[in-house]
Amino acid sequence: MGLNVIVMGPPGAGKGTQAVRLASERGLPKISTGDILREAIRETSAVALGAKARMERGELVDDAAMIAIVAERLAKPDAGNGFVLDGFPRTVAQAQALDELIEQRGSGPLIVLDVAVPEHELVRRLASRRICSVCGANADPSSSATVCQKCGGQLAQRTDDDQGVVLERLRVYQRSTRPVLEYYRGRSAFRVVNGAQSPDQVAADLNAMVDDAAAARR
Ligand code: AMP
């Protein structure tokens, strides 16, 4: 049976970093809707046209577009045995659509992991976050390097990590994405991890939670 995992959490919680680690340990694709959108913008593809301005303002891209992106991505062969989703679902409508997709696939229930971090810590982290302007990888926050360790590209602040936009993204998170946690909270495969710990500790906790949740649903 496939392992279908969602990593939830506010902007700056470290969910992208943790999703990469979890996906590589489990041999599953990490599917980040933010990365898919940023790549579409770099390639100026059609989907990017409407998304760019909304992303720069810290707003959400509309549900229909996001659901279509995820449905297409989950249909690719590498997601046949499961996936680690990062940044989706962000609204209850997206969560409902994902439940339908999973049911159609017949690939077992979702494991939902929430990375919880206090808001003052999120603002501090987002102010110093850098990503590669070429490959989009997250830079190591503890390093002062100016180029990407993976591809040598120039590191830059994300345009939506600008302070005013960060506050809007946190507001959008509270308004639209927190209700998604309530949508999932009653499920047996819902787990909350303390995201204020070291990245290694968060990763270890998440791994244990995935094993525990996968065993519980059998
Ligand atoms: P992220 O990299 O996950 O922080 O996403 C960056 C931006 O992409 C968000 O602030 C939204 O504008 C957009 N975005 C990513 N995923 C979604 C989604 N599931 N629904 C709506 N907008 C999204």
Side-chain angles (χ1 to χ4, degrees):
M1 188 183 270
L3 200 56
N4 306 323
V5 182
I6 312 179
V7 184
M8 305 267 309
K15 61 185 185 311
T17 304
Q18 294 298 336
V20 171
R21 291 178 70 149
L22 191 59
S24 84
E25 272 162 40
R26 304 282 168 154
L28 297 170
K30 182 206 82 145
I31 300 177
S32 155
T33 46
D35 284 351
I36 292 173
L37 290 170
R38 279 183 291 277
E39 193 183 329
I41 288 170
R42 278 196 295 275
E43 292 172 354
T44 60
S45 76
V47 67
L49 285 174
K52 186 166 187 277
R54 300 190 77 97
M55 288 173 78
E56 283 176 352
R57 289 196 296 267
E59 296 166 5
L60 295 183
V61 176
D62 64 282
D63 285 337
M66 296 313 304
I67 291 164
I69 285 173
V70 168
E72 191 183 315
R73 182 62 188 85
L74 293 188
K76 295 201 171 152
D78 68 337
N81 272 333
F83 51 80
V84 178
L85 260 178
D86 157 29
F88 186 98
R90 265 180 158 94
T91 65
V92 171
Q94 293 179 10
Q96 288 165 337
L98 183 62
D99 275 344
E100 278 169 31
L101 278 173
I102 302 282
E103 204 178 307
Q104 283 161 18
R105 287 158 59 97
S107 60
L110 283 169
I111 295 173
V112 183
L113 307 171
D114 178 35
V115 184
V117 175
E119 185 153 323
H120 64 268
E121 172 68 7
L122 298 173
V123 174
R124 191 188 65 76
R125 289 187 190 179
L126 290 165
S128 58
R129 175 159 80 175
R130 300 282 181 279
I131 65 163
C132 175
S133 54
V134 177
C135 74
N138 275 318
D140 176 357
S142 61
S143 153
S144 57
T146 56
V147 293
C148 176
Q149 307 292 301
K150 291 209 176 88
C151 78
Q154 199 65 35
L155 298 179
Q157 188 175 43
R158 268 172 55 170
T159 45
D160 60 352
D161 278 348
D162 175 80
Q163 206 182 3
V165 182
V166 160
L167 295 178
E168 175 59 14
R169 287 167 64 211
L170 291 171
R171 273 195 295 273
V172 167
Y173 174 78
Q174 292 297 343
R175 194 169 58 230
S176 302
T177 308
R178 253 197 183 286
V180 181
L181 294 181
E182 300 319 313
Y183 179 82
Y184 288 131
R185 199 176 296 280
R187 299 192 183 183
S188 60
F190 177 80
R191 299 285 185 284
V192 182
V193 69
N194 172 9
Q197 310 174 93
S198 72
D200 285 348
Q201 188 59 52
V202 177
D205 287 3
L206 286 176
N207 253 312
M209 286 173 181
V210 168
D211 289 338
D212 179 59
R217 75 184 189 185
R218 279 195 201 108

